[in-house]
Amino acid sequence: MGDHGTIEPHFWVADLARARRFYEDALGFRVVESFPPDAPSWFQMGRGAAKVMITTLPDPAKATGTQSYAAGVAARRGGGAAALYLHVESVDAVHEACVAADAVIREPLWNPWWGGRQFTVADPDGNWWSPYQHDVGGPHGVGGRPATGGERRA
């Protein structure tokens, strides 16, 4: 069946080098493909089964030819809100990598009432990621207790 049924987010970024560093250093992604070969403006990055694409966001006023699709994306930028969950083996290790990479932590590590452990980090373009470890503790997180209001938000 191949990749049928999978979702691969495509992020349009203001600074491709900065975004690539974030995805590599903070979240542990690696470049799978890039285009064009001599001066990439698009990367497909992977972390286990998870894949994302990052592309330079063009100035809509200067977009020509094949950039016309990208110009439409640039024009609607900021139109929606989404947060992406990234299932990881060790959320604490990913959190440490994000802190070391000076990433903007939007929500501290916590154990949600539904179980597991997570935190939320913003990428350099403001997209929110929630690295999540499902197999932490009992049905209500570490120690089998529900999170209190104080554990939920910074």
Side-chain angles (χ1 to χ4, degrees), residues 20-30 47 86 88 90-105 109 119-122 131:
R20 179 181 173 182
R21 280 191 309 274
F22 171 82
Y23 284 98
E24 288 178 334
D25 297 345
L27 295 181
F29 281 82
R30 297 293 171 248
R47 183 184 198 281
L86 177 64
V88 299
S90 173
V91 73
D92 292 289
V94 175
H95 184 268
E96 287 175 18
C98 287
V99 170
D102 291 325
V104 177
I105 305 296
L109 279 166
F119 72 99
T120 301
V121 60

Side-chain angles (χ1 to χ4, degrees), residues 126-146:
N127 300 299
W128 285 24
W129 285 82
S130 293
Y132 175 78
Q133 184 177 346
H134 181 71
D135 60 350
V136 175
H140 297 294
V142 172
R145 61 179 173 72

Side-chain angles (χ1 to χ4, degrees), residues 1-151:
M1 255 183 106
D3 289 338
H4 295 128
T6 62
I7 294 174
E8 186 172 351
H10 190 168
F11 296 108
W12 300 84
V13 301
D15 183 329
L16 190 63
R18 179 183 70 181
R20 179 181 173 182
R21 280 191 309 274
F22 171 82
Y23 284 98
E24 288 178 334
D25 297 345
L27 295 181
F29 281 82
R30 297 293 171 248
V31 173
V32 175
E33 291 185 59
S34 61
F35 182 83
D38 54 338
S41 60
W42 172 88
F43 289 103
Q44 180 188 57
M45 302 188 76
R47 183 184 198 281
K51 290 184 181 171
V52 298
M53 295 178 282
I54 57 173
T55 306
T56 304
L57 184 66
D59 179 343
K62 298 177 183 174
T64 59
T66 60
Q67 291 182 319
S68 60
Y69 169 76
V73 171
R76 73 172 192 260
R77 190 169 164 95
L84 297 108
Y85 271 72
L86 177 64
H87 293 262
V88 299
E89 287 184 35
S90 173
V91 73
D92 292 289
V94 175
H95 184 268
E96 287 175 18
C98 287
V99 170
D102 291 325
V104 177
I105 305 296
R106 294 291 182 187
E107 177 182 62
L109 279 166
W110 70 293
N111 303 322
W113 62 267
W114 59 83
R117 185 163 172 77
Q118 71 183 58
F119 72 99
T120 301
V121 60
D123 75 12
D125 290 276
N127 300 299
W128 285 24
W129 285 82
S130 293
Y132 175 78
Q133 184 177 346
H134 181 71
D135 60 350
V136 175
H140 297 294
V142 172
R145 61 179 173 72
T148 66
E151 292 174 282

